[in-house]
Amino acid sequence: MAPHHQDHKDHHPRHFPAELPHHHINHQPAIKYQRRSQFWKKFLTASSFGAILFLLTSQADQAHGHQQPPTPTPSSSDLLEPPPLTFSKGNTFQISIFQDLHFGENAWEEWGPLQDLSTTRVMNTVLDSEPATNLVVLNGDLISGENTYQENSTRYVDQIVEPMVRRGLTWASTYGNHDGDFNLSREGLWEEERKWLGSRTGRMVPTTDNEEEAAAAGVTNYYLPVYPAGCGNRRKQTRQNSSWYRWAANIYQNLNLNLNQNQNAHEEEATDCTAPSLLLWFFDSRGGIKYQQRHPVTGHPLPEPNWVHQSVVDWFTSTSASISAAAGGRVIPSIGFVHIPTNASLALQDSSSQKGGVDANRQPGINDDVPVAQQGQGWCGANGESGGGGGEWCDYGEQDVPFMEAIASTPGMMALFSGHDHGNTWCYKWDGQVPGTSQQKEEEEEEEAVTGDEGGQGNGQGHERYGSWIRGSRQVVVDQEELKEFVIRTHIRLENGEVVGAVTLNATYGEDKYPVTPNEKTHLLDSALEDF
């Protein structure tokens, strides 16, 4: 796929080695010293930090005469799902979003591994500054797939998830255009990620055994329900009855970690745990390069379409309707995550539009990536043919129109968070018609905010790739009382500990005025990277 003039990420040369050279060294820190295929063994070696603490706490318990639970021999199915997500005791639910991390970039050069370490430092700093985090969302481009070797491309997962494993936090991922490449399989990435107890990353589409159809839809298409405070204890009762769960929970408790999203295990159970209070939807916008596939004539690697597939749209529409029907027709508030933004973000960013584009006070945030690189960019026709694949180049093929229509017409959908463009961190209310779709969003309290937090100061935590904006993480805070009015709050926690861009996404967002977000650069704060 031919690079476009805005997506500087694709301007780097691609490397497609046939095999891992004998002289190549994977510079990433050794999080585990031995790979184990069984899930329970992977848990025991969660990280060097976890392994050491497990040893120390075991010795301490023996010294105090505590009897250790017997080590079971569970099947891998025992670890398929962590306990359900619930609101905290204070009736809030907080999400820390990390995206465009780009681990593994130029691992053969000195600056590559150093930037991976800097990215990990940012994640640790943010999570230390946001102790109320209930869930971490990795919103695409976890790895720079074009810079990896087939033999070790998925191993970066271990380094990426270490900050969450250390804190006993769970996470959920979407995959971006750099998470699928000639040497990096999206399926392999998902399989590696799912070996961790803390991973909630799912795959619900398609429901078919046809491998070709399954590959077309992408991987990270799924939803996560969030239940009221106290429902976690009730809904995990079956899991707790197993000896494996009790054993794993005991280890987490010994490590002073938390298997239940920083909740008090004795908090009072809610009266109704049959239906979720909040739905989190995750979509795979695909893009990048097909794994180990070349054009039969040119021999060039084959590009992957860069929009949410129609089968995913159909699944989302039918599933959201079924969930609402099961809840007695109640509208359940929802938040979506996708890596590549839709054409709606580009239209709302346009300063020549009727709304006048991004305003520094009404949509505070960095707005340096103009125009937004949207889904369908560089692909022509209804089915899509990429200029990079030998077809005629076009700016935009409108393939994301069905996805936009579905998002805009789904009751209760409050916000769609995207990444991809590292220099944008704004949010914008999408309350009407946008180019490329005839769908009209009604003026309701649950009007949604289409976000442009596309990396950079808001969500571009990775020190790799283009841009020197100060790194940080978008935080999304949902209060159960405010949720009744379809209101959510969001801010950006910077790597220096400061908070910027705090806004309330409500009925008056876009009219309310907020402080201007400063546009600072990372190199002003990170002297260790001045030479790179």
Side-chain angles (χ1 to χ4, degrees):
M1 178 166 38
H4 60 81
H5 66 281
Q6 283 294 324
D7 193 354
H8 305 290
K9 297 176 288 185
D10 293 333
H11 287 177
H12 292 252
R14 294 187 176 277
H15 301 267
F16 303 107
E19 60 182 15
L20 185 67
H22 295 295
H23 67 272
H24 176 76
I25 299 176
N26 185 357
H27 295 280
Q28 61 175 325
I31 297 177
K32 296 194 290 295
Y33 294 97
Q34 181 181 358
R35 300 290 298 171
R36 295 171 169 86
S37 60
Q38 297 185 45
F39 286 79
W40 68 276
K41 290 183 178 180
K42 181 119 183 180
F43 174 78
L44 279 177
T45 54
S47 66
S48 58
F49 177 86
I52 292 172
L53 279 183
F54 173 67
L55 175 63
L56 293 177
T57 53
S58 298
Q59 292 175 343
D61 285 340
Q62 291 173 357
H64 288 81
H66 296 164
Q67 185 176 1
Q68 295 299 307
T71 302
T73 57
S75 66
S76 61
S77 61
D78 290 325
L79 278 181
L80 288 181
E81 296 295 339
L85 291 168
T86 62
F87 278 76
S88 64
K89 186 176 181 180
N91 292 321
T92 61
F93 188 81
Q94 181 168 342
I95 303 170
S96 293
I97 305 175
F98 295 102
Q99 59 196 24
D100 294 292
L101 298 172
H102 287 288
F103 273 81
E105 183 150 327
N106 284 43
W108 53 88
E109 296 186 59
E110 185 177 7
W111 63 266
L114 285 177
Q115 291 194 150
D116 285 349
L117 292 175
S118 293
T119 298
T120 301
R121 174 182 56 78
V122 172
M123 296 175 71
N124 283 322
T125 299
V126 167
L127 293 177
D128 286 344
S129 301
E130 298 288 351
T133 296
N134 298 101
L135 177 71
V136 173
V137 169
L138 304 175
N139 200 16
D141 280 3
L142 284 64
I143 299 173
S144 289
E146 65 275 22
N147 283 172
T148 62
Y149 293 87
Q150 185 180 6
E151 290 80 359
N152 71 339
S153 58
T154 61
R155 298 291 180 90
Y156 289 100
V157 170
D158 301 337
Q159 187 177 4
I160 293 169
V161 304
E162 182 181 12
M164 286 78 80
V165 172
R166 284 176 177 266
R167 294 164 176 82
L169 292 169
T170 61
W171 66 90
S173 301
T174 69
Y175 295 156
N177 52 304
H178 287 277
D179 293 319
D181 213 280
F182 191 79
N183 284 335
L184 177 60
S185 163
R186 301 171 94 83
E187 289 78 8
L189 180 59
W190 182 74
E191 290 173 359
E192 184 72 14
E193 188 180 343
R194 290 290 292 172
K195 292 178 182 178
W196 290 94
L197 176 63
S199 174
R200 297 181 183 273
T201 304
R203 186 179 189 183
M204 297 181 178
V205 182
T207 55
T208 175
D209 294 331
N210 187 302
E211 294 184 3
E212 185 175 348
E213 291 181 7
V219 174
T220 52
N221 300 293
Y222 61 104
Y223 73 91
L224 294 174
V226 184
Y227 294 93
C231 288
N233 295 326
R234 184 182 302 180
R235 297 190 66 87
K236 73 182 183 191
Q237 184 175 2
T238 302
R239 171 186 279 261
Q240 281 185 318
N241 288 337
S242 69
S243 60
W244 160 241
Y245 182 91
R246 294 193 301 270
W247 180 76
N250 181 276
I251 293 176
Y252 263 73
Q253 187 175 25
N254 286 342
L255 294 176
N256 197 29
L257 300 177
N258 197 332
L259 204 58
N260 298 310
Q261 312 105 47
N262 300 326
Q263 291 177 181
N264 188 331
H266 303 291
E267 65 187 8
E268 188 175 334
E269 291 192 353
T271 56
D272 182 12
C273 296
T274 58
S277 297
L278 175 68
L279 292 174
L280 306 177
W281 296 90
F282 300 83
F283 304 98
D284 192 337
S285 51
R286 305 179 296 163
I289 299 295
K290 292 182 181 293
Y291 179 66
Q292 294 290 302
Q293 295 186 40
R294 296 182 182 273
H295 193 280
V297 177
T298 66
H300 295 157
L302 294 178
E304 183 74 44
N306 59 352
W307 62 88
V308 175
H309 193 266
Q310 181 64 54
S311 64
V312 177
V313 176
D314 296 339
W315 162 82
F316 167 62
T317 302
S318 61
T319 303
S320 59
S322 298
I323 295 174
S324 178
R330 179 169 64 89
V331 174
I332 300 178
S334 302
I335 298 174
F337 302 91
V338 65
H339 181 68
I340 303 178
T342 66
N343 192 49
S345 291
L346 174 61
L348 296 168
Q349 184 192 46
D350 185 3
S351 60
S352 64
S353 65
Q354 183 179 358
K355 289 185 173 293
V358 177
D359 182 89
N361 290 112
R362 291 180 172 82
Q363 295 90 21
I366 305 304
N367 188 35
D368 286 352
D369 265 344
V370 180
V372 163
Q374 81 278 47
Q375 295 181 30
Q377 185 184 53
W379 291 77
C380 305
N383 296 323
E385 184 176 4
S386 169
E392 181 182 356
W393 172 262
C394 62
D395 290 335
Y396 169 59
E398 300 185 2
Q399 294 89 353
D400 64 338
V401 168
F403 179 58
M404 286 191 293
E405 291 178 340
I407 291 293
S409 61
T410 298
M413 180 61 73
M414 300 182 296
L416 180 67
F417 292 93
S418 60
H420 193 54
D421 295 296
H422 300 187
N424 295 335
T425 66
W426 40 265
C427 297
Y428 211 119
K429 179 184 289 187
W430 181 16
D431 58 0
Q433 184 176 342
V434 296
T437 175
S438 59
Q439 178 68 40
Q440 186 74 23
K441 177 70 174 180
E442 295 182 0
E443 297 280 347
E444 298 176 351
E445 288 182 343
E446 64 265 32
E447 282 174 350
E448 87 199 27
V450 173
T451 75
D453 28 292
E454 295 135 6
Q457 192 168 0
N459 288 58
Q461 292 75 25
H463 275 264
E464 293 78 357
R465 290 290 164 180
Y466 73 90
S468 59
W469 299 280
I470 183 173
R471 270 59 177 178
S473 168
R474 179 165 293 283
Q475 305 294 308
V476 178
V477 181
V478 182
D479 183 277
Q480 275 199 279
E481 285 300 315
E482 294 178 339
L483 205 56
K484 296 176 181 178
E485 302 296 328
F486 298 93
V487 172
I488 58 179
R489 288 174 283 123
T490 179
H491 64 271
I492 297 171
R493 175 71 68 172
L494 299 179
E495 60 183 309
N496 62 6
E498 296 180 2
V499 171
V500 298
V503 299
T504 301
L505 303 180
N506 56 13
T508 59
Y509 183 75
E511 302 171 9
D512 304 328
K513 288 190 175 182
Y514 296 94
V516 175
T517 298
N519 192 344
E520 299 183 20
K521 305 298 180 181
T522 297
H523 66 262
L524 298 177
L525 301 174
D526 198 343
S527 58
L529 295 177
E530 286 183 352
D531 295 334
F532 300 94

